Amino acid sequence: MVDLVVRAANATTVVDAQRLVAQFRGFSGVRSAEIVSALTPVVGELDLLERLPVGPAQWGQELRVEFSAAPARTELRAAAAEIAAAADRALVQPCRAVAPPPMLGSPLAWAITTGARAMILTVDPARGWSALSDSFDTVLGYDRHRPPTTA
């Protein structure tokens, strides 16, 4: 458990936080662990449930952990709090828009993706996010091939 807490303290991305949550699920005494909307109905024993807010309050996200017994909750609560803090740090960091790659996959796949009415994007936590479909031009108000720079 100490290793998990140390990794949580050093986590910097949402991907890191999701990996920590998945690993936490494997601990003895943890029935379930997931980052969910705070509006998701609560199922299970309330006295064995830990609900820790994650990210900006207006997003309404939380790390929800259900423990199998009260001693497990007492023993693992600090680790759950550290994982929630890691997810919180990752979610409040800005993810900047970057120009999409010149071609993604085959020419047919690229034509279908860019012409889609749905908004399609890719997210690379280290680099940023790229709008792939033309519908983003209308929704975002700028040319997706030349996204605005952020300070």
Side-chain angles (χ1 to χ4, degrees):
M1 179 171 63
V2 173
D3 179 54
L4 184 75
V5 171
V6 169
R7 283 186 287 125
N10 295 317
T12 57
T13 68
V14 174
V15 174
D16 294 338
Q18 287 289 10
R19 283 186 187 129
L20 291 166
V21 170
Q23 291 167 355
F24 193 61
R25 277 187 218 116
F27 275 77
S28 176
V30 176
R31 278 196 187 135
S32 66
E34 60 187 333
I35 296 174
V36 297
S37 165
L39 299 176
T40 303
V42 176
V43 179
E45 298 179 44
L46 293 180
D47 25 327
L48 297 177
L49 188 67
E50 192 72 29
R51 299 172 72 180
L52 302 158
V54 171
Q58 64 268 26
W59 291 5
Q61 298 291 305
E62 65 185 14
L63 171 62
R64 198 175 285 178
V65 181
E66 184 181 3
F67 297 97
S68 59
R73 182 178 185 182
T74 303
E75 181 182 336
L76 299 171
R77 182 182 287 163
E82 195 63 48
I83 292 169
D88 190 58
R89 285 190 308 274
L91 286 171
V92 296
Q93 291 181 11
C95 186
R96 63 188 190 90
V98 294
M103 177 84 59
L104 185 68
S106 72
L108 177 60
W110 186 248
I112 291 170
T113 301
T114 58
R117 290 177 60 197
M119 293 184 289
I120 302 171
L121 70 133
T122 61
V123 177
D124 176 354
R127 197 170 152 250
W129 63 274
S130 297
L132 299 181
S133 59
D134 292 333
S135 60
F136 264 93
D137 294 359
T138 303
V139 172
L140 297 178
Y142 59 80
D143 181 350
R144 67 188 174 84
H145 293 283
R146 289 183 292 286
T149 57
T150 56

